[in-house]
Short mmCIF file of all heavy atoms in Angstrom, two decimals:
data_model
loop_
_atom_site.label_atom_id
_atom_site.label_comp_id
_atom_site.label_asym_id
_atom_site.label_seq_id
_atom_site.Cartn_x
_atom_site.Cartn_y
_atom_site.Cartn_z
N ALA A 167 36.30 8.62 3.12
CA ALA A 167 37.72 8.27 3.18
C ALA A 167 38.10 7.27 2.10
O ALA A 167 39.25 7.25 1.64
CB ALA A 167 38.05 7.71 4.57
N TYR A 168 37.12 6.45 1.69
CA TYR A 168 37.36 5.49 0.61
C TYR A 168 36.96 6.04 -0.76
O TYR A 168 36.83 5.28 -1.71
CB TYR A 168 36.62 4.18 0.89
CG TYR A 168 37.33 3.29 1.87
CD1 TYR A 168 37.06 3.38 3.24
CD2 TYR A 168 38.26 2.36 1.43
CE1 TYR A 168 37.71 2.56 4.14
CE2 TYR A 168 38.92 1.54 2.33
CZ TYR A 168 38.65 1.64 3.69
OH TYR A 168 39.30 0.82 4.59
N GLY A 169 36.80 7.35 -0.83
CA GLY A 169 36.56 7.99 -2.11
C GLY A 169 35.12 7.98 -2.59
O GLY A 169 34.85 8.25 -3.76
N ARG A 170 34.17 7.68 -1.70
CA ARG A 170 32.77 7.67 -2.10
C ARG A 170 32.19 9.06 -1.94
O ARG A 170 32.28 9.67 -0.90
CB ARG A 170 31.96 6.68 -1.26
CG ARG A 170 32.50 5.25 -1.30
CD ARG A 170 32.44 4.66 -2.72
NE ARG A 170 32.75 3.24 -2.71
CZ ARG A 170 33.97 2.75 -2.87
NH1 ARG A 170 35.00 3.57 -3.04
NH2 ARG A 170 34.18 1.45 -2.86
N ARG A 171 31.58 9.54 -3.00
CA ARG A 171 30.94 10.86 -2.99
C ARG A 171 29.60 10.77 -3.70
O ARG A 171 29.41 9.94 -4.59
CB ARG A 171 31.81 11.90 -3.71
CG ARG A 171 33.17 12.18 -3.07
CD ARG A 171 33.02 12.98 -1.78
NE ARG A 171 34.29 13.43 -1.26
CZ ARG A 171 35.11 12.69 -0.51
NH1 ARG A 171 34.78 11.46 -0.22
NH2 ARG A 171 36.25 13.19 -0.07
N GLY A 172 28.67 11.65 -3.32
CA GLY A 172 27.41 11.78 -4.03
C GLY A 172 26.64 10.47 -4.15
O GLY A 172 26.43 9.76 -3.16
N PRO A 173 26.21 10.11 -5.37
CA PRO A 173 25.41 8.88 -5.56
C PRO A 173 26.13 7.62 -5.09
O PRO A 173 25.50 6.70 -4.56
CB PRO A 173 25.17 8.85 -7.07
CG PRO A 173 25.29 10.27 -7.51
CD PRO A 173 26.31 10.88 -6.62
N ALA A 174 27.46 7.54 -5.28
CA ALA A 174 28.20 6.36 -4.85
C ALA A 174 28.14 6.22 -3.33
O ALA A 174 27.95 5.11 -2.80
CB ALA A 174 29.65 6.45 -5.31
N LEU A 175 28.28 7.31 -2.60
CA LEU A 175 28.17 7.28 -1.14
C LEU A 175 26.78 6.84 -0.72
O LEU A 175 26.61 6.04 0.20
CB LEU A 175 28.50 8.66 -0.56
CG LEU A 175 28.39 8.80 0.96
CD1 LEU A 175 29.44 7.95 1.65
CD2 LEU A 175 28.51 10.27 1.36
N LEU A 176 25.76 7.36 -1.42
CA LEU A 176 24.38 7.03 -1.08
C LEU A 176 24.10 5.54 -1.30
O LEU A 176 23.59 4.86 -0.41
CB LEU A 176 23.43 7.88 -1.94
CG LEU A 176 21.93 7.58 -1.79
CD1 LEU A 176 21.46 7.96 -0.40
CD2 LEU A 176 21.14 8.32 -2.86
N VAL A 177 24.44 5.04 -2.48
CA VAL A 177 24.07 3.68 -2.87
C VAL A 177 24.91 2.63 -2.14
O VAL A 177 24.39 1.59 -1.72
CB VAL A 177 24.19 3.50 -4.40
CG1 VAL A 177 23.98 2.05 -4.80
CG2 VAL A 177 23.18 4.41 -5.11
N GLN A 178 26.21 2.89 -1.97
CA GLN A 178 27.10 1.87 -1.44
C GLN A 178 27.26 1.91 0.08
O GLN A 178 27.65 0.91 0.68
CB GLN A 178 28.48 2.01 -2.09
CG GLN A 178 28.46 1.77 -3.60
CD GLN A 178 29.83 1.97 -4.23
OE1 GLN A 178 30.86 1.94 -3.57
NE2 GLN A 178 29.84 2.19 -5.54
N VAL A 179 26.96 3.05 0.70
CA VAL A 179 27.18 3.17 2.14
C VAL A 179 25.90 3.50 2.90
O VAL A 179 25.50 2.77 3.83
CB VAL A 179 28.25 4.25 2.44
CG1 VAL A 179 28.44 4.39 3.96
CG2 VAL A 179 29.57 3.89 1.76
N LEU A 180 25.23 4.57 2.51
CA LEU A 180 24.13 5.08 3.33
C LEU A 180 22.86 4.26 3.21
O LEU A 180 22.20 3.96 4.21
CB LEU A 180 23.86 6.55 2.97
CG LEU A 180 25.05 7.49 3.18
CD1 LEU A 180 24.68 8.92 2.81
CD2 LEU A 180 25.54 7.43 4.63
N ILE A 181 22.47 3.91 1.97
CA ILE A 181 21.26 3.10 1.80
C ILE A 181 21.37 1.75 2.50
O ILE A 181 20.45 1.33 3.21
CB ILE A 181 20.92 2.93 0.31
CG1 ILE A 181 20.46 4.27 -0.30
CG2 ILE A 181 19.86 1.85 0.10
CD1 ILE A 181 19.11 4.74 0.17
N PRO A 182 22.51 1.02 2.34
CA PRO A 182 22.63 -0.23 3.11
C PRO A 182 22.53 -0.03 4.61
O PRO A 182 21.95 -0.84 5.33
CB PRO A 182 24.01 -0.76 2.71
CG PRO A 182 24.22 -0.21 1.33
CD PRO A 182 23.61 1.16 1.37
N ALA A 183 23.12 1.07 5.11
CA ALA A 183 23.06 1.34 6.55
C ALA A 183 21.64 1.63 7.02
O ALA A 183 21.26 1.28 8.13
CB ALA A 183 23.98 2.51 6.90
#
Side-chain angles (χ1 to χ4, degrees):
Y168 280 91
R170 304 297 189 269
R171 297 287 189 277
L175 178 66
L176 175 67
V177 173
Q178 297 177 20
V179 178
L180 300 181
I181 290 290

